[in-house]
Amino acid sequence: MNRKNTHELHLEAREVEVGLQELKGKILEDMTERLNKGENVDRLKDIIQKIDQEISNAINIYHVEEE
């Protein structure tokens, strides 16, 4: 992979990470509201776990590319 493509991949991975972090924040806000109402949030917890995994994947992409 040439340097330009590596740089573009690095930027895209960071953009994905930022977007996922924003989504996670919104879900956590919703989760807090639901918990305050006494509602079940198990499904939201599962979604947060999946988002965390995807954030980790994005971080791994740009850390591998930086090495």
Side-chain angles (χ1 to χ4, degrees):
M1 184 177 293
N2 68 36
R3 191 177 263 314
K4 182 178 179 186
N5 287 341
T6 299
H7 180 70
E8 288 173 2
L9 179 63
H10 174 94
L11 291 176
E12 288 176 13
R14 285 191 183 258
E15 288 174 11
V16 167
E17 179 198 358
V18 168
L20 289 169
Q21 291 286 7
E22 290 172 354
L23 177 60
K24 181 179 175 181
K26 290 176 183 178
I27 293 172
L28 288 171
E29 288 175 10
D30 186 40
M31 185 184 281
T32 300
E33 289 176 19
R34 290 175 185 231
L35 280 171
N36 289 338
K37 293 178 184 176
E39 296 178 15
N40 185 324
V41 295
D42 289 343
R43 186 170 182 278
L44 293 177
K45 287 179 184 178
D46 291 341
I47 293 170
I48 292 292
Q49 284 182 323
K50 290 176 185 175
I51 290 173
D52 284 340
Q53 181 58 49
E54 293 305 319
I55 289 169
S56 178
N57 291 343
I59 290 170
N60 287 339
I61 288 172
Y62 64 78
H63 279 306
V64 167
E65 294 302 325
E66 287 176 341
E67 294 175 357

